[in-house]
Amino acid sequence: QVQLVESGGGLVQAGGSLRLSCAASRSIFSINAMAWYRQAPGKQRELVARMYSGGTRNYLDSVKGRFTISRGNAKNTVYLQMNSLKPEDTALYYCNARLGENNYWGQGTQVTVSS
């Protein structure tokens, strides 16, 4: 079992930055992949960024160049650095971990970007 807790959301102006954190209950090297998803009101959940255990990273096209997914030094955390934020980035952001056949989800952290 993997337990995930997100933090770091908040209200920022367009053009600002936030860093989301996801704390995992075990080293993320034992996890196949970790990802950030987001869901805006009235919209479906979408994959924002994914990082595989080997270090390969992928991003949603609309956030590429602005967002960066990374591991913490303690190897039990994953971050999403979000720069040049836009109002359309407003959403509830979820941390996701894939381990074998199982997916684990955090409770989400709200990001709101004002214009």
Side-chain angles (χ1 to χ4, degrees), residues 30-50:
S30 68
I31 300 171
N32 301 127
M34 297 199 67
W36 288 95
Y37 286 75
R38 69 186 183 188
Q39 187 168 24
K43 298 182 179 179
Q44 67 182 41
R45 187 173 299 185
E46 62 183 350
L47 176 65
V48 177
R50 181 192 288 118

Side-chain angles (χ1 to χ4, degrees), residues 3-18:
Q3 296 176 341
L4 305 173
V5 180
E6 304 102 327
S7 62
L11 174 64
V12 298
Q13 287 187 276
S17 298
L18 284 173

Side-chain angles (χ1 to χ4, degrees), residues 59-96:
Y59 296 93
L60 180 68
D61 283 345
S62 63
V63 309
K64 205 165 187 177
R66 300 188 296 121
F67 291 11
T68 304
I69 187 170
S70 63
R71 291 191 177 103
N73 291 335
K75 307 302 182 184
N76 65 343
T77 55
V78 64
Y79 300 101
L80 184 68
Q81 178 66 45
M82 304 185 295
N83 298 325
S84 302
L85 283 162
K86 304 174 181 180
E88 52 262 45
D89 295 318
T90 295
L92 189 64
Y93 283 71
Y94 296 92
C95 184
N96 167 268

Side-chain angles (χ1 to χ4, degrees), residues 11-27:
L11 174 64
V12 298
Q13 287 187 276
S17 298
L18 284 173
R19 188 184 70 166
L20 306 184
S21 299
C22 176
S25 59
R26 66 177 69 179
S27 171

